[in-house]
């Protein structure tokens, strides 16, 4: 693998999921692969799971890890040809080349503005690093995608499914803040590549990009969509059409034990209890959110392993 900025960068998804499950059983099997290699992780935004699981994954492979909270460094300019006489002290063109001398792999977390759709969709932060860095780039959640989370979700589903083709429902949930579409986008794309029967449910106005949903069924009736589900993935996202707007906080969309039925409950975390999902669900045996978070390590580890093997 040359980079992991999107799900389609995985050369063979089913083999990669199998390899991740094997790494989970024997995490130190490749502990010399990353010897004398460094992962530099750049955070433009907060993180708990991504930061800790990716660091753990790299260390399981014998890598050194350096973490930079970008807000502690010089303010970066991303536009070309700018006269930099305002608040930006360093151009990404220079920063990315410099960091590449300290890193064998660079991982980037950079959320969208949720105000400038075209700029967010251009993935200008992630793609600037991809353009100017001279080492592979890993996406730790960008403006439109969270492929490491989606790979962890695919591993979790593969481990837990008892059916050849389980019914999976992605259900929107209310949230007090406007959140990105990245997790939902990558989850949908990942499920489209697996043997699952996927349905999306959300209030009107919350349609994800058609470039993502393609022909996946969308049902605005949550109760109907959830019928006979094996896995229910709950996530809030802001409107894509009315870009970045929080149009609806109807708590009738919160996931409850009654609505969940016998399905397993999935969420990427962090989650607001009793807003997105009630305590009774999260604290039940049907919740697999802690397993998903554990699988973030093996998703990152299999990706780093495949990149290291191609260096
Ligand atoms: N799910 C996830 O990416 O968690 P963090 O934002 O804590 O990294």
């Amino acid at each position: 693998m040359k980079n992991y900025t999107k799900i389609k960068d995985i050369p063979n998804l089913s083999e990669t999921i199998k390899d991740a499950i094997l790494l989970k059983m024997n995490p130190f099997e490749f502990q010399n692969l990353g010897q004398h290699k460094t992962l530099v992780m750049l955070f433009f935004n907060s993180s708990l799971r991504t930061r800790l699981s990716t660091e753990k994954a790299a260390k399981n492979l014998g890598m050194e890890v350096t973490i930079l909270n970008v807000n502690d460094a010089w303010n970066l300019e991303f536009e070309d040809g700018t006269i930099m006489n305002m608040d930006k002290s360093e151009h990404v063109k220079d920063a990315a080349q410099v960091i590449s001398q300290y890193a064998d792999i660079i991982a980037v977390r950079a959320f969208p503005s949720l105000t400038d759709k075209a700029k967010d969709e251009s993935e200008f932060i992630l793609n600037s690093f991809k353009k100017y860095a001279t080492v592979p780039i890993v996406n730790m959640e960008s403006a439109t995608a969270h492929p490491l989370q989606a790979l962890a979700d695919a591993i979790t589903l593969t481990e837990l499914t008892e059916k050849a083709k389980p019914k999976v429902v992605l259900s929107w949930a209310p949230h007090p803040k406007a959140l990105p579409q990245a997790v939902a986008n990558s989850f949908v794309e990942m499920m489209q590549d697996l043997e699952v029967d996927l349905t999306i449910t959300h209030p009107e106005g919350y349609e994800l990009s058609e470039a993502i949903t393609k022909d996946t069924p969308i049902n605005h009736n949550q109760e109907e969509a959830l019928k006979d589900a094996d896995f229910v993935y709950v996530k809030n996202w802001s409107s894509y059409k009315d870009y970045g707007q929080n149009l609806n906080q109807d708590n009738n969309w919160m996931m409850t034990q009654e609505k969940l039925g016998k399905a397993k409950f999935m969420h990427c975390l962090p989650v607001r209890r009793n807003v997105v999902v009630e305590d009774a669900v999260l604290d039940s045996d049907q919740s697999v959110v802690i397993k998903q978070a554990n699988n973030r390590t093996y998703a990152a580890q299999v990706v780093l392993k495949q990149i290291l093997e191609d260096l």
Side-chain angles (χ1 to χ4, degrees), residues 45-71:
N45 306 96
S46 306
S47 170
L48 186 154
R49 278 143 290 272
T50 305
R51 182 169 175 153
L52 297 179
S53 64
T54 309
E55 179 170 357
K56 181 175 174 184
K59 288 181 171 171
N60 285 352
L61 293 166
M63 297 185 82
E64 298 291 329
V65 178
T66 305
I67 297 174
L68 179 67
N69 294 320
V70 180
N71 292 337

Side-chain angles (χ1 to χ4, degrees), residues 254-273:
M254 179 177 78
M255 189 51 54
T256 63
Q257 208 162 33
E258 191 185 345
K259 286 195 228 173
L260 187 65
K262 291 185 168 28
K264 296 211 183 305
F265 173 81
M266 300 182 77
H267 190 283
C268 62
L269 302 181
V271 70
R272 292 188 184 231
R273 282 174 173 254

